[in-house]
Amino acid sequence: RMLVGYLTHPLVRTALLLEHGCEKAHNDFVRHEIEKLGVDPEQFGWASVQLDGGIDRVMDRVEQWYDDQLASMPVPDREEVGLECLHLGLLNSGPVSDPLAAALAQLTRIVVGGGGTVVVPSWSDLLQTAAYVDSVLGAQAAEPNLSHAQRMETTGFYIMDMPSDHWVETLTSLGATGVEILMAHVGEHPQQGHPFLPLLQVTSDSTVNAVYG
C-alpha cells in the first residue's frame, strides 16, 4: 500500500520498480495493484535483476530508462492555485496546549473549508485535545477514517490509522497518503524531515524558539 501510494504521489513525476526476480514476482504483484486503481502501469519503468541478465546489465538499463525519461520531460508550468490544491499532513512533537490546539483547529478548518485536505495521524495529541476536536469534528468521534498509508481519493479531513508513534514511520506513512507538505508543531526540539516532502516546523514554545529559531 505504501509503495503504491508513493508511485502515484502527485510529486512523483516518474518512477521505476526494480525486483530481484528469483523468489517472488514482486513487479507482477505491484503491476496488478496499480491496475486495480485504474492507473496505467506503462507510465512506470520495470526492471528485474534476473530477467535483465544480472546486476550490471540491469543497472545500465535503469540508467538508460531515466536518461530517456528526463530527456523527454517537459518543464512544468507554474501557476497560482487556491486552498483546494493544498494537501497538508499535520502532526506534533511534544505537549499541545489549548491555545495551540485552537490555532491548529482554525488552520484545519480554513484549509478544509477552502476545499483542501488535512491528514492527522491517529496518535496525535491534537485528537486528545478538546480545543481541537470540538472545533474540527464537533460531535463526531475522533476515529480513523483512512487506513495506514492509504492513498486519498477525495479531499477533506482525515485521521490516518497509525499503529506506532515513531516519528519517521509517521512521516513515511503520511507521505504515502498523497499529502504534499507536512507541518509539525515541535515542543521540545526540531525533528527529522522527509526525503522529498517539505516539512514546515513551527513552535509555540519560547525556549525552543530561542534555541532553534
Side-chain angles (χ1 to χ4, degrees), residues 25-107:
H26 172 272
N27 281 1
D28 186 58
F29 173 77
V30 176
R31 180 185 291 269
H32 178 69
E33 293 299 305
I34 291 172
E35 289 176 338
K36 287 198 299 186
L37 295 174
V39 177
D40 181 9
E42 296 310 313
Q43 66 181 282
F44 305 105
W46 303 89
S48 172
V49 174
Q50 272 214 330
L51 296 178
D52 292 324
I55 293 177
D56 289 337
R57 287 188 179 182
V58 81
M59 287 176 63
D60 290 341
R61 182 181 176 193
V62 169
E63 290 181 7
Q64 186 60 55
W65 186 85
Y66 272 107
D67 285 344
D68 293 342
Q69 291 292 309
L70 295 175
S72 61
M73 188 178 295
V75 177
D77 294 329
R78 293 180 177 270
E79 61 179 298
E80 292 188 10
V81 297
L83 290 175
E84 71 279 359
C85 293
L86 177 59
H87 302 138
L88 175 69
L90 185 62
L91 65 166
N92 70 281
S93 171
V96 174
S97 65
D98 284 343
L100 169 64
L104 294 180
Q106 183 180 15
L107 172 64

Side-chain angles (χ1 to χ4, degrees), residues 46-178:
W46 303 89
S48 172
V49 174
Q50 272 214 330
L51 296 178
D52 292 324
I55 293 177
D56 289 337
R57 287 188 179 182
V58 81
M59 287 176 63
D60 290 341
R61 182 181 176 193
V62 169
E63 290 181 7
Q64 186 60 55
W65 186 85
Y66 272 107
D67 285 344
D68 293 342
Q69 291 292 309
L70 295 175
S72 61
M73 188 178 295
V75 177
D77 294 329
R78 293 180 177 270
E79 61 179 298
E80 292 188 10
V81 297
L83 290 175
E84 71 279 359
C85 293
L86 177 59
H87 302 138
L88 175 69
L90 185 62
L91 65 166
N92 70 281
S93 171
V96 174
S97 65
D98 284 343
L100 169 64
L104 294 180
Q106 183 180 15
L107 172 64
T108 300
R109 290 172 61 90
I110 290 172
V111 173
V112 177
T117 298
V118 174
V119 183
V120 178
S122 59
W123 60 254
S124 174
D125 293 329
L126 289 171
L127 302 176
Q128 309 299 321
T129 308
Y132 186 86
V133 174
D134 292 349
S135 177
V136 174
L137 294 173
Q140 299 181 60
E143 298 178 348
N145 57 352
L146 196 67
S147 297
H148 176 231
Q150 180 183 352
R151 180 172 173 263
M152 293 181 298
E153 298 295 340
T154 59
T155 59
F157 177 73
Y158 293 99
I159 298 174
M160 182 193 70
D161 186 27
M162 187 65 210
S164 80
D165 61 358
H166 190 280
W167 185 260
V168 174
E169 290 178 356
T170 301
L171 293 187
T172 305
S173 303
L174 283 173
T177 68

